[in-house]
Amino acid sequence: MRRPDARRAVFLGLFVVAVGAFAAIVWRTGYNQALDQLARRGQADLTLAADRLTGQLQLYQQLAVLIADHPSLDGDDMAAKRAFLLQSADKTAALDVVLVDERGRVEVSATGSAPANLAGTEYFRRALHGALGEAHGTNSATGQRAYYFAAPRFDDRGQVIGALVVVANIEKVEAEWRGARPVVFFTDRSGEVFITNRSELLYWRRAPEGVGLIPPRGPAPRFETATTGPHEIWHENWSPYVPQAALHLSRELPRIGMRAEALIDVSAAQRIAWLQAAVVAAVCLAFGAILFVVTERRRTLALANTKLEGRVAERTAELSQANAALRREVAERSAAEAALKKAQDDLVQAGKLSALGQMSAGISHELNQPLMAIQQYAENGALFLERGKSGPAAQNLSRIGSMARRMARIIRNLRAFARQESEPVSRVDLVKVVDSALELSEARLRSDAVHVDWDRPTAPVWVTGGEVRLCQVVVNLIGNAVDAMAAHDVQRLDIGIRRDGARVELEVRDTGPGIEEPEKMFDPFYSTKIVGDSEGMGLGLSISYGLVQSFGGVIRGRNHPEGGAVMIVELVAADADEASARPEVA
């Protein structure tokens, strides 16, 4: 009996080793696949962070170019010049705006933080050659990190007579995404971390080996690197807010002379790989156990048959029953194996579905009206400049900048809505929101000859919500109403606000054909516009529905008895919300 037992032990040992090896292969494959997905999402996040940084810095670059030759900087009135520069710095949150002559001497500084002479700086020397100079460093007066843009100033003969330097405050640029995931940092050509969403990594430098970072002072913390397929994994203990095992991604940003890098936590990928390996190992072990039990039972039965061969006639009935029971058990085991296989397939399919992520939510549809307003202001500004009216032209340029910032806020809010995120609600004047929406839609209303009857309250009507998101909703309702009335002779838009207890209702009525299917109007991609129309995506009301719900409101629509559609946005009154938040006094 010892020899068969030894063979079974060897077989079981080989089976366990084979299951372990197969589970290891599954773990490695699943880990690599999870890292591939993580790398794709990380590259998208890194690209978004890099584009956000370059876009924010470009605002200061455009400021330097736009006001370099502004008429307010001509003449000898230093007080007027400083007031103009201070106003520009305040509007853009710039650290300083400096006017420099051709010798590098500072004529006027908005905040007085600039040194007396900038002749030795690289960005000023580049501006003297008629190009836009850029550089980054630490402001000597305030000790803050700054990015410098120097735009040349020309006289009537085209000669450089100096430069206008805009100093961007990097801390202001970082404020919107500090602490966000993943860990992102930007290193300059010397390898120093100059911008990051983890302040503890500031001024760290690239290690002499070219991989990893070391602090400016003190001993270098633990750091190791490993390669898994095409991916580079960093193992370190730099900070509680930096993952100890992270996928390292990078991309060059020649536009600002920096390198963008990201550290993506791989713990989720490891958990997925372990889960897949555990499921596979469990299935294999379960199958092996079933096979072993069946084999052992058959072996036992064979031994019994050998010993009881002489008593077959007597025990035929018992053996038949035993065989039938054994066949039922084998059938039950087979059914259990099939059910286990199906559960595994369902688990794999669920994993695929969960990896799809979320889609973007129609950003182009929500930016149409601000773009039209920017186009109108730009055309007006060009006409004013042709006529020599720099004051109104500057106002139009300022409005363009305001619209651009408004577009950025709209994009941020749409992205938050698409990701089921929401900014904190606040106290908003609904009258001001409607005024803003009508201002954005003014060109469209004028071109379509739509008469607007806006029963405007004389006093502010305060509601709880988000100003930009609520403005988006109103603009969308106005746009839908104008589209609906396009083929009608009478085009009138009635807008009114009324208070009903703790609720405030905004009503928008048009003279169009009405709502064909009210029960489907808020479904995504539902539209009654012409198929193929660039403005008929069917997402407007669906997005508006979600935005209004995000701050506790309700949006509904109905047909008016006299014709046309009526859209009602019901919001929580701000004073009612504050009253409910106050504790009761006994």
Side-chain angles (χ1 to χ4, degrees):
M1 296 297 292
R2 293 183 178 179
R3 185 172 296 177
D5 291 341
R7 285 200 299 266
R8 287 198 300 273
V10 171
F11 175 76
L12 289 176
L14 292 176
F15 179 74
V16 171
V17 171
V19 170
F22 184 57
I25 295 173
V26 171
W27 184 90
R28 174 62 61 179
T29 303
Y31 186 50
N32 288 335
Q33 291 177 350
L35 285 180
D36 292 339
Q37 296 179 2
L38 202 63
R40 287 192 292 269
R41 291 197 299 268
Q43 286 289 1
D45 292 338
L46 184 60
T47 300
L48 180 63
D51 292 344
R52 178 167 48 189
L53 174 63
T54 54
Q56 289 174 313
L57 291 179
Q58 191 176 12
L59 294 177
Y60 296 100
Q61 179 191 50
Q62 294 173 352
L63 174 65
V65 174
L66 287 175
I67 69 173
D69 295 320
H70 197 277
S72 299
L73 300 178
D74 298 332
D76 299 328
D77 191 349
M78 294 299 176
K81 292 180 180 180
R82 184 179 183 279
F84 175 74
L85 296 181
L86 183 58
Q87 183 183 21
S88 301
D90 291 340
K91 288 182 177 180
T92 59
L95 195 60
D96 200 358
V97 182
V98 184
L99 184 65
V100 187
D101 63 14
E102 68 276 8
R103 296 181 181 179
R105 295 177 301 184
V106 174
E107 293 183 4
V108 183
S109 172
T111 63
S113 63
N117 196 301
L118 300 178
T121 59
E122 179 183 353
Y123 56 87
F124 174 73
R125 289 196 298 268
R126 182 170 175 80
L128 285 183
H129 290 85
L132 180 67
E134 298 183 24
H136 68 276
T138 303
N139 188 280
S140 58
T142 63
Q144 295 174 297
R145 289 169 293 140
Y147 202 98
Y148 301 88
F149 294 97
R153 301 185 69 241
F154 301 94
D155 59 11
D156 296 338
R157 296 172 299 173
Q159 300 296 323
V160 178
I161 60 173
L164 181 81
V165 180
V166 175
V167 185
N169 189 346
I170 296 300
E171 293 184 1
K172 293 288 186 180
V173 174
E174 289 178 340
E176 294 184 6
W177 47 285
R178 184 177 290 118
R181 292 185 179 179
V183 177
V184 178
F185 55 92
F186 299 83
T187 57
D188 56 20
R189 293 186 177 90
S190 65
E192 183 181 65
V193 177
F194 188 70
I195 303 174
T196 178
N197 59 358
R198 296 295 186 276
S199 58
E200 60 267 30
L201 297 182
L202 274 177
Y203 304 120
W204 285 40
R205 290 186 174 275
R206 192 166 304 282
E209 304 85 27
V211 179
L213 300 174
I214 56 176
R217 291 180 300 275
R222 179 186 68 83
F223 175 81
E224 296 176 0
T225 182
T227 301
T228 302
H231 307 294
E232 182 182 21
I233 308 299
W234 285 11
H235 300 274
E236 33 67 30
N237 59 349
W238 293 343
S239 165
Y241 305 103
V242 178
Q244 294 187 0
L247 172 65
H248 175 251
L249 303 174
S250 66
R251 60 172 295 184
E252 298 295 334
L253 301 178
R255 185 171 183 179
I256 61 175
M258 292 188 181
R259 183 183 185 187
E261 302 181 57
L263 295 177
I264 314 296
D265 192 356
V266 298
S267 59
Q270 292 175 341
R271 286 194 298 270
I272 292 175
W274 280 117
L275 178 60
Q276 292 175 343
V279 170
V280 170
V283 172
C284 292
L285 291 176
F287 177 77
I290 294 172
L291 183 62
F292 178 77
V293 170
V294 173
T295 303
E296 284 298 305
R297 285 184 175 273
R298 288 181 177 177
R299 188 180 68 85
T300 303
L301 182 60
L303 291 176
N305 287 336
T306 302
K307 293 179 180 180
L308 301 176
E309 196 173 34
R311 302 169 57 186
V312 172
E314 302 176 3
R315 305 290 300 273
T316 300
E318 296 178 5
L319 290 176
S320 299
Q321 294 177 0
N323 287 333
L326 182 59
R327 283 193 291 270
R328 286 195 300 271
E329 185 174 354
V330 171
E332 291 173 358
R333 300 285 185 177
S334 300
E337 180 184 352
L340 184 60
K341 182 64 171 59
K342 183 177 182 303
Q344 180 189 7
D345 293 340
D346 292 342
L347 180 62
V348 172
Q349 182 65 19
K352 292 179 182 179
L353 293 176
S354 67
L356 289 178
Q358 296 177 335
M359 298 176 59
S360 174
I363 296 177
S364 59
H365 181 81
E366 298 297 336
L367 295 179
N368 186 44
Q369 283 80 9
L371 285 173
M372 292 176 60
I374 288 178
Q375 178 182 2
Q376 184 66 36
Y377 287 137
E379 292 174 356
N380 292 343
L383 291 175
F384 283 131
L385 289 175
E386 291 178 0
R387 297 173 182 175
K389 297 181 179 181
S390 59
Q395 294 178 359
N396 278 268
L397 291 176
S398 177
R399 291 175 178 174
I400 290 175
S402 176
M403 289 294 173
R405 289 190 296 272
R406 181 182 295 273
M407 290 171 64
R409 289 161 56 195
I410 291 174
I411 292 174
R412 183 176 68 250
N413 285 323
L414 283 175
R415 183 168 62 248
F417 169 73
R419 295 184 178 179
Q420 299 301 322
E421 299 173 355
S422 61
E423 296 182 350
V425 295
S426 60
R427 191 167 177 259
V428 179
D429 183 7
L430 185 57
V431 178
K432 182 179 177 182
V433 169
V434 176
D435 289 339
S436 300
L438 289 174
E439 180 182 355
L440 288 173
S441 308
E442 181 179 359
R444 177 75 186 278
L445 295 170
R446 184 171 56 251
S447 64
D448 288 1
V450 177
H451 174 72
V452 178
D453 187 4
W454 165 215
D455 188 11
R456 189 181 189 278
T458 57
V461 178
W462 299 102
V463 298
T464 299
E467 181 176 358
V468 174
R469 290 172 287 170
L470 190 54
C471 185
Q472 289 177 240
V473 173
V474 180
V475 168
N476 184 61
L477 295 180
I478 294 175
N480 286 346
V482 174
D483 291 338
M485 296 186 295
H488 287 67
D489 295 334
V490 178
Q491 300 186 23
R492 189 180 77 253
L493 189 65
D494 297 332
I495 302 175
I497 297 176
R498 64 174 178 269
R499 177 73 178 267
D500 184 10
R503 312 290 284 184
V504 175
E505 292 185 354
L506 170 65
E507 183 177 290
V508 179
R509 178 194 171 190
D510 60 56
T511 57
I515 305 171
E516 184 176 350
E517 297 178 286
E519 69 279 1
K520 296 183 178 180
M521 61 188 300
F522 296 111
D523 292 345
F525 303 105
Y526 171 77
S527 176
T528 59
K529 300 175 184 178
I530 300 175
V531 176
D533 191 346
S534 61
E535 297 181 357
M537 295 176 65
L539 287 172
L541 285 178
S542 177
I543 293 175
S544 299
Y545 185 85
L547 292 177
V548 173
Q549 275 197 331
S550 67
F551 37 77
V554 177
I555 181 172
R556 59 183 184 272
R558 59 180 176 84
N559 291 317
H560 197 274
E562 298 178 7
V566 180
M567 300 301 298
I568 300 174
V569 179
E570 183 178 333
L571 302 167
V572 179
D575 51 0
D577 187 63
E578 293 173 358
S580 63
R582 287 194 296 266
E584 296 182 359
V585 179

